Amino acid sequence: MIPFGAHSIPYAPGTLRPSGDPAAADRQVLEHYRWWKASFLRSGDEVGGRGRCAVFTPDAAHPFVAEAQGYGLVITALMAGADPDAHGLFDGILRHVLAHPSVNHPDLHAAQQDAGGRDVGGHDSATDGDLDIAYGLLLADRQWGGGHSDYKALAVRRIDAVLECEVHGGTRLTKLGDWSSGRFDEVSRTSDWMPDHFRAFRAATGDPRWDEVLDAHLTLVGAVRTRHAPATGLLPDFVVDTASGDPRPAPGKVLESPHDGDYHWNACRDPWRLGADAVTSGDPRTRAAARGLSRWARAATGGDPARIRSGYRLDGTAYGGPGSPAFTAPFAVAAMAEGERHEGGRDEGEGGEGAQGWLDALWARMCGAPPDPARAYAAGVRLQSMLVVSHNYWVP
């Protein structure tokens, strides 16, 4: 087991961490975890019967969505050792997932359930949920596996199903779900680009195609940043024409809103997803992307996280309202990549006190208030960002 708070798996050299006592940071994470549990976990008859558990999403189109279940599996696995109920909660969420297979593949998750626990909205999958579900199973295998545990076997089956149904066979880029075809076959959501997950899937399966998936996504990250957001490094919610040789931000509404080509409510997770890989793998490609995002945000706000907005054009023009934690917290993960390793073993921000001060300001804002019980999405993004920033995240 890798208990929460052990910090036993080091991050890449040069990674920053919040100033002060690491144990105090762990206590902040644990407090937010308890708030998250109390606000968003449902069990028993509320989710289909005894022994089941699920993450409730009052702010989503339906009460239970795949994305949130993936978050729940990852969070509870990472909290092992601090919460004696973590294993049981993980298994309860997993029972909910297993009870709702996608209509298109039995090893993928039907993405939406209503308040009565019935599948709705097509009964098909969402790639981001499946990626986190598989990743959570790999974490669980490391935490509680062995003996008669089948976490690893379940994970490998889901990883294979993702590759079969949710990764484009030509481009090796993630698709939107197992339903994507026709005009949606060449659309990819940037918040599904999870490099650390792809690395873990390669290690778990030995399948070299996951190397191709990783390289395809990191190549596209660099291309989109260079061609479409050279001043900011921001990525859009959706990239279209992925198989054309000239992938580009969505030109307006493709799936969700007129902001599909902007840094909106999907892409706000990108600094966390790219930053998590940067600090765990040290890959210069994700490190450069995370640093670029952090430096732009720091300059654009004058180092004040309260000035982050919930929505930007790729040129950095803000259009959103006051910054939700879903927009603010991921920048703290990216800020960790601004550190440099110096002689004597010191880690400090490349810009002197600027980067460290920026990280500390972001951390203080993340810790400042409990989650809004009406906003499961923001709470899940913030808590997982806090796990990374406090050095409690690791790749199985």
Side-chain angles (χ1 to χ4, degrees):
M1 177 181 283
I2 300 174
F4 170 83
H7 307 152
S8 57
I9 298 181
Y11 285 1
T15 300
L16 296 177
R17 70 186 313 150
S19 299
D21 181 7
D26 292 345
R27 289 192 293 272
Q28 291 278 10
V29 178
L30 186 56
E31 182 177 27
H32 276 261
Y33 169 69
R34 289 169 176 155
W35 283 332
W36 173 82
K37 274 181 36 174
S39 296
F40 304 113
L41 285 188
R42 300 289 186 270
S43 60
D45 291 341
E46 292 182 273
V47 291
R50 185 175 180 180
R52 291 192 197 175
C53 185
V55 182
F56 174 58
T57 51
D59 48 338
H62 296 283
F64 303 101
V65 297
E67 168 192 280
Q69 310 322 314
Y71 287 2
L73 291 174
V74 171
I75 289 168
T76 52
L78 291 173
M79 295 305 300
D83 178 8
D85 296 328
H87 194 179
L89 292 172
F90 181 97
D91 283 348
I93 298 170
L94 180 59
R95 289 187 190 100
H96 171 82
V97 169
L98 294 176
H100 295 281
S102 168
V103 69
N104 295 317
H105 197 295
D107 291 320
L108 299 175
H109 179 47
Q112 301 174 110
Q113 287 78 47
D114 65 15
R118 295 175 292 266
D119 291 331
V120 291
H123 303 194
D124 45 25
S125 76
T127 299
D128 56 350
D130 289 321
L131 291 170
D132 273 333
I133 289 166
Y135 193 79
L137 284 163
L138 292 178
L139 292 171
D141 180 65
R142 184 75 177 270
Q143 297 288 45
W144 306 298
H148 298 291
S149 167
D150 61 355
Y151 296 132
K152 178 70 176 291
L154 285 172
V156 169
R157 283 165 48 190
R158 286 180 180 269
I159 292 166
D160 289 344
V162 168
L163 192 59
E164 176 187 345
C165 300
E166 295 177 335
V167 173
H168 192 283
T171 65
R172 293 295 190 220
L173 298 171
T174 51
K175 302 195 294 183
L176 303 175
D178 62 7
W179 54 270
S180 299
S181 61
R183 68 188 182 94
F184 292 111
D185 196 49
E186 297 182 14
V187 179
S188 190
R189 179 173 32 227
T190 63
S191 54
D192 297 351
W193 301 356
M194 307 178 193
D196 55 351
H197 289 38
F198 304 152
R199 295 181 200 278
F201 298 167
R202 170 64 163 96
T205 64
D207 191 333
R209 289 177 293 179
W210 284 107
D211 294 331
E212 299 171 7
V213 173
L214 175 66
D215 289 342
H217 286 86
L218 296 189
T219 297
L220 187 51
V221 167
V224 173
R225 292 176 64 230
T226 299
R227 298 173 191 167
H228 301 285
T232 65
L234 294 171
L235 297 173
D237 271 15
F238 296 94
V239 174
V240 301
D241 297 337
T242 57
S244 70
D246 185 26
R248 57 197 174 92
K253 182 177 180 179
V254 170
L255 184 69
E256 295 184 358
S257 83
H259 291 293
D260 283 353
D262 297 325
Y263 183 80
H264 202 56
W265 285 89
N266 286 294
C268 65
R269 294 172 284 186
D270 294 344
W272 154 42
R273 295 300 195 182
L274 295 171
D277 184 73
V279 303
T280 54
S281 75
D283 190 310
R285 296 168 294 180
T286 48
R287 191 172 172 88
R291 278 180 166 181
L293 288 164
S294 179
R295 290 170 180 169
W296 167 77
R298 178 156 58 103
T301 62
D304 180 2
R307 295 178 61 190
I308 293 173
R309 311 296 288 182
S310 294
Y312 291 92
R313 309 291 183 192
L314 297 192
D315 65 2
T317 303
Y319 60 79
S324 161
F327 281 80
T328 304
F331 279 118
V333 182
M336 301 171 75
E338 285 204 65
E340 287 287 348
R341 173 68 72 178
H342 295 275
E343 290 185 11
R346 294 181 300 113
D347 293 340
E348 63 183 37
E350 203 175 39
E353 291 300 314
Q356 184 66 58
W358 171 235
L359 175 59
D360 290 344
L362 286 161
W363 177 252
R365 189 167 183 85
M366 294 163 75
C367 297
D372 181 343
R375 299 286 183 266
Y377 177 71
V381 171
R382 173 165 62 168
L383 178 54
Q384 289 178 94
S385 296
M386 292 179 76
L387 283 161
V388 182
V389 174
S390 63
H391 287 232
N392 281 296
Y393 184 72
W394 43 275
V395 179

